[in-house]
Amino acid sequence: MKLPGFIDSHLHMLGLGYYASLIDLSQAKSIKEVQDILRNNMPNNILIGRGWNQDQFQENRIITKHDLHKVSTEIPIVITRACGHVLVANDKMMEIAGIDISTRKVSGGDFSYTNGIFSEKALGLITDHLPKPTKNHLKKYFIKANQILLKNGITSIASDDFCVFDIPYNDIIEVLKELYKEDLIQVKITEQVNLPKSQFIDFLNNGYANKKINEKLKMGPLKILADGSLGGRTAYLSEPYADDKNNYGINTFSDKELFDLVHLADKNNIDVAIHTIGDQATQQAIDAIKKSLEITKRENHNHALVHAQLTRKDQILEMQKYNIGAIVQPIFINTDIKIVDKRLGERKNNAYLFKTMDEFLDLGFSTDAPVESVNPFYNLYSALTYKSIKYPNLPSLNKGQCFSVKQALKAYTVNNLKYIYLDKLDESDYIIIEEDIFSLEVERIKDIKVKQTIINGKIVYNQDKKTL
Ligand SMILES: [Zn+2]
């Protein structure tokens, strides 16, 4: 049957292509397995891995630099957690980055020289010292990501690409322009502009605000990260973690800093897309937007919270009042189902209230790939069942929040239009699947494969012809 092409309203296209080129640790069930995978992939310059998750480790603890030293003390090693908000570096890597026991704390982030674990804004202490990609690398990553997206039936995305590497945002725009010109990528991109304040000012000064670069590429909202992740215990909560009584998580900005950023965008007619996972980060974001709107009086804004994982009912109503949308990822249930209980205790009843949000707000689906799989049918399955594909034996996280197929498809297409700044679906962007998704039994929806993806009336992916 024919379906509209999927619109993914928050992912990291460059990150998706880059991740595909790194050592994959996402399947490791133990620290020992992480070590084995790294040993089997020894390069001669630097070892970069991604996707580990301590919640699936047999050892029941987080991995540290000491575990990496058993792999190598000579070659720098950096491995990033599945969420992308936490990494571990060995001594050699810290030496290259100039970090030792006396290195000062970073506000909005955390790190420990003793165990080599870095989170949030402290990630830069390490990532700024990784080899910088060349223009050809960037092109390779985008081309790879484009192939992955088309194979999955995704025709439009809102993508956060400026912060993956420490390179000027303009280089990324130039690379994308060239790729489109050479027809090496076809997916349509709305850039979620993730820049620190000074560079965002430069972006404004250069006339990039809401700019349409070409038919397929436009500049969208300012992307702001207000907190971290639940898994990494860096999501900012109003009450401490159930499994870490002194820890409220991390707020990346003070209230004033966050307001200043939001207001800078808002008064320039630019929307904000704010990453908030914990309820306290959500509150900070709502308050900042509310305060800014009182000054700018903008009516047709598309401000949104990205993730909104632990958002209380009272907050959903407040979001509705100020017309703040939600860009959510049902697929997060796939991994988080194992930890919500531990991290949140009773508060888990206020987590992932996506169906409730859908009743009150403009709610759109996305995957945050490469944090989770970009496969829309996995994401749909999560929304329809609130169950995990990874842990199929665990019961549904919240049966009352399950979407119908129709509601879920709407959240993945029509509802996302406002996040890519379109009024209606483009009929020349569609996909062909073999099954009838409306009559298929739910358990089989996750296995649906895309036969063809069509953009602007042209076949850009064909299952039968592996390469185009
Ligand atoms: Zn993201």
Side-chain angles (χ1 to χ4, degrees), residues 179-197:
L179 288 168
Y180 280 120
K181 210 166 168 190
E182 297 163 43
D183 198 28
L184 291 170
I185 61 170
Q186 293 82 26
V187 73
K188 298 174 179 175
I189 305 175
T190 298
E191 191 60 44
Q192 288 174 335
V193 181
N194 186 346
L195 291 173
K197 195 172 176 188

Side-chain angles (χ1 to χ4, degrees), residues 10-12 160 223 275 306-307 368 371:
H10 173 67
L11 51 70
H12 306 260
D160 168 348
K223 172 76 195 303
H275 166 123
V306 181
H307 308 307
D368 202 17
V371 174

Side-chain angles (χ1 to χ4, degrees), residues 287-435:
D287 291 345
I289 293 173
K290 184 167 117 183
K291 200 170 148 192
S292 179
L293 289 174
E294 276 160 15
I295 303 167
T296 62
K297 309 261 187 279
R298 273 178 78 200
E299 273 172 16
N300 297 318
H301 67 82
N302 289 353
H303 295 316
L305 304 188
V306 181
H307 308 307
Q309 254 162 272
L310 178 62
T311 302
R312 307 181 311 259
K313 188 80 191 284
D314 61 296
Q315 295 180 312
I316 295 176
L317 293 175
E318 213 181 348
M319 286 168 74
Q320 183 195 38
K321 189 168 168 203
Y322 294 96
N323 192 22
I324 302 171
I327 295 174
V328 302
Q329 301 72 29
I331 187 77
F332 277 16
I333 293 166
N334 205 28
T335 302
D336 286 357
I337 197 163
K338 270 211 91 169
I339 56 148
V340 257
D341 248 335
K342 284 187 247 172
R343 298 283 191 276
L344 298 176
E346 277 299 296
R347 280 170 289 169
K348 76 166 185 188
N349 299 327
N350 282 329
Y352 308 92
L353 299 180
F354 300 153
K355 179 124 173 281
T356 307
M357 285 183 201
D358 192 38
E359 286 160 23
F360 291 90
L361 321 166
D362 292 326
L363 172 126
F365 281 173
S366 72
T367 59
D368 202 17
V371 174
E372 281 288 343
S373 165
V374 80
N375 186 330
F377 298 102
Y378 290 179
N379 205 15
L380 285 175
Y381 177 79
S382 305
L384 301 177
T385 63
Y386 270 57
K387 285 182 69 179
S388 170
I389 300 170
K390 246 196 241 177
Y391 309 107
N393 296 328
L394 295 179
S396 171
L397 191 65
N398 191 341
K399 280 205 175 114
Q401 291 290 319
C402 297
F403 283 66
S404 70
V405 175
K406 201 175 158 201
Q407 287 167 336
L409 284 175
K410 189 167 165 277
Y412 230 136
T413 51
V414 182
N415 292 8
N416 272 335
L417 285 170
K418 69 181 280 186
Y419 301 121
I420 58 166
Y421 299 92
L422 287 181
D423 297 328
K424 60 178 182 53
L425 289 176
D426 189 332
E427 280 176 24
S428 65
D429 296 345
Y430 59 95
I431 63 170
I432 307 291
I433 57 172
E434 206 153 276
E435 301 79 356

Side-chain angles (χ1 to χ4, degrees), residues 7 74 81 104 109 129 145 185 245 269 306 337 355 362 390 428 458:
I7 302 171
E74 295 305 310
R81 193 179 183 277
R104 287 183 53 193
H129 298 273
I185 61 170
K245 298 283 186 220
N269 252 325
V306 181
I337 197 163
K355 179 124 173 281
D362 292 326
K390 246 196 241 177
S428 65
K458 206 177 122 196

